[in-house]
């Protein structure tokens, strides 16, 4: 018997029931065909809510997935794992920075935009609550399994679970009474404590070979680690998880902080951004229009997604406006085609939103309008502009692209 096993056995024999349950708990992926009663569900929910929480904010929202159709879809989207659909109880624990943001706004506060630190704090709250639920379920004889794949497929899960901005599905856990074969399955061994606990500071080196020795079994360290790296870390699902997590993080990317000036004695023109007290320096934000024109061109050339004129103007400026590209996309959704009724040109409407979000007042907006009208006359209605273009023998897409590029150039000029 190894030192680890010996010490673990000694602790197990003399410790409390609660700690024994933590030692015994293992992931369960096969369940009895037996429902979890409402009383047991409530005990699990209340146990989760009693978890430690930063400032008692409870920065999470728990989705109790009872719709079998949603379970079936999650089983597919979460790396094709059928046992998810078969689990009697499926909970998605969402890190939620939206509820408090809404509360602050409703109370008349001027809250800053949630940032990466807020998300990390919410994820911590969420994971602790999820673990409380798992421990509570274990005490009731109910098994569980964490599903990290809920962080993948951002677009799919946002639509399926109706997840708004500032809400991130950090943890999914499936619950059920373990099938016999699960009870008899041996729990995977953990690392020896010498590779886990260090006094005071992070170690300069790890003895990775020693740490993984027992896991390698009869394989060499290189062979076992290479297989594991390919199967897990370098896998397609791991890369997809990173892509999706980065997409969620866009909501929390506050580039205004990066653009903030040490403004004592700079003399630069500064604009107060409503709602957060942040200061933006236009002279640092807008070097020239090339970067925005290039991004707009990429959007309009995308054959997989249609970006209307408003979206193609707003999205290139999303970071400078302090919003995510997803939010910029949604903001311009119904402004294409002159608000879908031939009214004001979408590129002009998108520009108006960008100028406003970047702190431009009436003077800047009127300067923008004068520049646009110089080339197109007083009428900037989509229907009028398209008719004139058609009469001159021009193509519709070429005309719309031209309006987008012209609007971007004039945004930069009027804010400079």
């Amino acid at each position: 018997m190894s030192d680890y096993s010996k010490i673990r056995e000694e602790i197990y024999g003399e410790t409390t029931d609660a700690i024994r349950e933590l030692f015994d708990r293992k992931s369960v992926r096969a369940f009895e065909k037996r429902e979890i009663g409402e009383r047991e569900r409530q005990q699990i929910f209340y146990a989760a809510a009693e978890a430690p929480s930063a400032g008692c904010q409870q920065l999470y929202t728990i989705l109790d997935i009872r719709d079998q159709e949603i379970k079936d879809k999650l089983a597919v989207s979460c790396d094709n794992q059928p046992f998810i659909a078969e689990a009697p109880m499926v909970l998605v624990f969402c890190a939620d920075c939206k509820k408090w943001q809404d509360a602050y706004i409703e109370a008349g506060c001027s809250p800053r935009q949630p940032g990466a630190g807020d998300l990390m704090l919410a994820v911590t709250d969420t994971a602790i609550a999820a673990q409380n639920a798992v421990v509570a379920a274990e005490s009731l004889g109910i098994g569980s399994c964490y599903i990290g794949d809920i962080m993948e497929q951002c677009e799919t899960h946002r639509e399926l679970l109706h997840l708004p901005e500032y809400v991130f599905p950090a943890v999914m856990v499936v619950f059920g009474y373990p099938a016999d074969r699960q009870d008899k399955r041996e729990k995977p061994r953990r690392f020896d404590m010498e590779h886990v606990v260090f006094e005071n500071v992070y170690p300069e080196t790890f003895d990775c070979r020693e740490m993984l020795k027992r896991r390698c079994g009869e394989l060499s360290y290189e062979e076992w680690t290479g297989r594991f790296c390919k199967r897990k870390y370098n896998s397609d699902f791991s890369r997809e998880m990173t892509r999706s997590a980065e997409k969620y993080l866009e909501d929390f990317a506050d580039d205004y902080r990066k653009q903030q000036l040490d403004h004592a004695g700079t003399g630069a023109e500064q604009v107060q951004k409503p709602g957060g007290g942040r200061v933006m320096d236009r002279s640092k934000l807008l070097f020239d229009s090339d970067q925005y024109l290039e991004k707009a061109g990429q959007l309009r050339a995308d054959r997989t997604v249609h970006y209307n004129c408003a979206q193609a103007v707003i999205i290139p400026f999303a970071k400078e406006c302090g919003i995510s590209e997803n939010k910029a996309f949604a903001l311009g959704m119904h402004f294409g085609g002159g608000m879908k009724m031939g009214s004001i040109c979408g590129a002009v409407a998108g520009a108006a939103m960008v100028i406003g979000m970047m702190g431009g007042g009436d003077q800047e907006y009127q300067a923008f309008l004068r520049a646009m009208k110089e080339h197109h006359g007083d009428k900037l209605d989509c229907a009028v502009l398209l008719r004139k273009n058609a009469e001159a023998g021009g193509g519709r897409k070429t005309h719309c692209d031209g309006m987008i590029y012209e609007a971007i150039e004039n945004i930069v000029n009027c804010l400079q």
Side-chain angles (χ1 to χ4, degrees):
M1 182 183 291
S2 69
D3 286 346
Y4 177 90
S5 299
K6 183 179 179 182
I7 295 170
R8 185 183 186 280
E9 191 173 284
E10 288 174 359
I11 293 171
Y12 190 91
E14 64 188 24
T15 193
T16 64
D17 289 342
I19 293 178
R20 287 194 191 95
E21 284 182 353
L22 291 174
F23 277 35
D24 290 339
R25 190 265 164 196
K26 57 194 173 192
S27 295
V28 174
R29 297 178 178 84
F31 308 104
E32 293 181 357
K33 293 188 180 302
R34 176 181 167 195
E35 289 301 314
I36 295 174
E38 287 302 317
R39 188 64 179 168
E40 287 74 20
R41 283 176 179 266
Q42 289 301 311
Q43 290 180 68
I44 292 169
F45 294 150
Y46 274 82
E50 291 293 333
S53 168
C56 202
Q57 294 175 85
Q58 293 183 267
L59 296 166
Y60 52 83
T61 294
I62 304 171
L63 306 182
D64 181 11
I65 310 299
R66 302 206 183 203
D67 187 323
Q68 188 59 48
E69 185 178 347
I70 296 178
K71 284 187 185 180
D72 293 341
K73 289 179 178 179
L74 287 171
V76 174
S77 63
C78 291
D79 208 27
N80 294 302
Q81 301 185 83
F83 73 90
I84 295 172
E86 297 164 2
M89 185 162 85
V90 176
L91 301 181
V92 178
F93 292 79
C94 298
D96 189 350
C97 296
K98 181 179 184 296
K99 284 193 288 197
W100 278 90
Q101 187 80 356
D102 289 349
Y104 292 139
I105 292 169
E106 187 175 330
C109 307
S110 296
R112 59 179 172 77
Q113 176 187 346
D118 302 296
L119 175 61
M120 294 300 101
L121 196 63
V123 169
T124 302
D125 263 18
T126 306
I128 297 170
Q131 182 62 10
N132 258 32
V134 164
V135 172
E138 187 74 17
S139 73
L140 298 170
I142 297 169
S144 59
C145 183
Y146 279 94
I147 310 293
D149 308 271
I150 192 64
M151 291 187 283
E152 299 172 29
Q153 306 296 337
C154 167
E155 297 82 1
T156 299
H157 292 152
R158 271 182 162 162
E159 182 178 352
L160 181 63
L161 303 176
H162 298 184
L163 302 178
E165 194 175 36
Y166 306 136
V167 175
F168 169 57
V171 176
M172 182 163 80
V173 186
V174 298
F175 298 85
Y177 292 97
D180 284 344
R181 66 179 184 275
Q182 292 287 294
D183 267 342
K184 295 170 184 174
R185 183 175 59 84
E186 186 177 346
K187 180 175 180 175
R189 179 194 164 117
R190 275 30 183 180
F191 292 136
D192 290 346
M193 285 299 112
E194 66 192 81
H195 305 298
V196 178
V197 180
F198 297 87
E199 189 170 332
N200 295 326
V201 296
Y202 193 85
E204 291 184 6
T205 60
F206 273 97
D207 188 345
C208 296
R209 290 178 180 272
E210 184 65 27
M211 181 177 74
L212 294 172
K213 183 172 66 176
R214 290 186 179 83
R215 298 199 180 181
C216 293
E218 296 180 358
L219 298 176
S220 69
Y221 170 78
E222 288 76 13
E223 187 175 0
W224 185 90
T225 308
R227 289 184 184 182
F228 190 86
C229 181
K230 182 178 180 180
R231 180 168 59 90
K232 289 284 189 181
Y233 191 72
N234 282 344
S235 65
D236 288 342
F237 74 79
S238 184
R239 295 176 192 276
E240 164 55 24
M241 185 178 291
T242 294
R243 183 201 71 82
S244 280
E246 288 173 350
K247 202 71 179 169
Y248 284 113
L249 280 167
E250 286 180 5
D251 289 346
F252 299 87
D254 186 358
D255 280 356
Y256 279 102
R257 289 195 183 92
K258 296 175 187 175
Q259 305 295 344
Q260 244 179 344
L261 294 172
D262 179 13
H263 50 80
T266 61
E269 180 187 6
Q270 297 169 354
V271 179
Q272 193 74 15
K273 186 174 186 294
R278 293 180 293 241
V279 177
M280 144 179 102
D281 174 12
R282 292 187 199 140
S283 67
K284 288 194 173 184
L285 285 172
L286 300 173
F287 301 101
D288 56 55
S289 58
D290 289 351
Q291 58 184 313
Y292 308 112
L293 292 171
E294 182 181 354
K295 177 67 172 180
Q298 292 169 355
L299 295 174
R300 293 290 287 178
D302 192 333
R303 294 178 180 274
T304 61
V305 179
H306 173 65
Y307 295 91
N308 66 38
C309 296
Q311 291 166 327
V313 170
I314 302 168
I315 291 173
F317 292 93
K319 285 188 177 180
E320 284 79 359
C321 290
I323 60 176
S324 66
E325 289 192 7
N326 283 338
K327 190 163 188 176
F329 182 89
L331 199 60
M333 177 74 73
H334 302 300
F335 285 87
M339 292 190 282
K340 300 183 178 179
M341 59 181 181
S343 185
I344 191 74
C345 167
V348 174
M353 287 186 264
V354 170
I355 292 168
M357 285 189 285
M358 293 185 67
D362 190 60
Q363 180 178 340
E364 288 86 355
Y365 180 56
Q366 291 302 325
F368 168 82
L369 287 178
R370 282 194 298 273
M372 296 297 292
K373 288 178 179 179
E374 254 181 54
H375 291 92
H376 304 288
D378 286 341
K379 287 287 187 183
L380 292 177
D381 285 355
C382 178
V384 174
L385 294 169
L386 286 173
R387 186 172 64 250
K388 286 182 178 179
N389 177 66
E391 289 170 354
R396 177 170 180 142
K397 186 175 187 306
T398 303
H399 161 77
C400 292
D401 287 351
M403 292 297 294
I404 291 165
Y405 302 144
E406 188 178 342
I408 289 172
E409 290 274 15
N410 286 325
I411 289 171
V412 173
N413 291 338
C414 82
L415 289 179
Q416 292 283 45

